[in-house]
Amino acid sequence: MNSALSGLRVAFLHMATYSQTIEKLIEEFGKLPGIGKRTAERLAFHVLKSDEAAAMALANAIADVKTKIRPCRDCFNLAEGELCAVCSDPRRDRSLLCVVEQPKDLLAVESTGAYRGLYHVLMGQIAPLEGVAPEDLTIDALVARVKGGTVKEVILATNPTVSGDATALHICALLAAAGVQVTRLARGLPTGGQIEYANKSILTDAITQRRGV
Ligand SMILES: [Zn+2]
């Protein structure tokens, strides 16, 4: 009797967990930002119910983004080839360089339609407490680009946060001797805010009313 009962319990416990393959998918979905265990389960079962073509399209899209996308040779924006879409566009004003922290910020500035120059993506901000030093960013490449001679104005569009401001100051000091105009986005943006979440018209004003530093 006892052994029959414990056998039942083992069977029940086994049923209470999914197969290893499904568990693995739930675990991977659960690692995504903002996805809790319940949502991870829902997503995994959604994939399980989907037809094979739809599920493989998702898997391939994830694989492609890791194998085909790389940093742009010139500005470090996300690119499918050697140069990103902005750098390879001959209509862009090559005398203007807008310095942003992340590709997301570049997209936010692009969405305003108020800017027709090129960009430079730092890939972060100087944050000593988090172990991010200037050498960890693309600042050396930025200075080399500016010294190349085509750039006339550098717009510092780092976030209006303590680290964003410190990063802008650091770059400003490095460019002091380069003979270019250095400007910073106007302060319409809320201090401590993030460019990627800024209202489009506020961001447009911040770009058009930028001022020298
Ligand atoms: Zn580029």
Side-chain angles (χ1 to χ4, degrees), residues 7-57:
L8 264 175
R9 255 179 83 184
V10 167
F12 178 76
L13 279 175
H14 199 72
M15 275 167 59
T17 57
Y18 303 119
S19 86
Q20 239 181 359
T21 308
I22 300 171
E23 278 294 347
K24 177 72 185 154
L25 185 58
I26 295 170
E27 185 192 320
E28 292 302 324
F29 275 131
K31 290 176 187 169
L32 299 174
I35 304 289
K37 170 91 177 159
R38 293 291 289 264
T39 308
E41 282 179 347
R42 266 185 33 228
L43 291 173
F45 279 95
H46 173 80
V47 170
L48 206 59
K49 277 189 301 184
S50 308
D51 61 50
E52 193 175 338
M56 292 316 288

Side-chain angles (χ1 to χ4, degrees), residues 146-170:
V146 172
K147 285 183 176 163
T150 319
V151 178
K152 301 271 182 291
E153 180 185 349
V154 175
I155 304 161
L156 298 172
T158 50
N159 282 310
T161 58
V162 173
S163 298
D165 283 340
T167 307
L169 268 177
H170 180 85

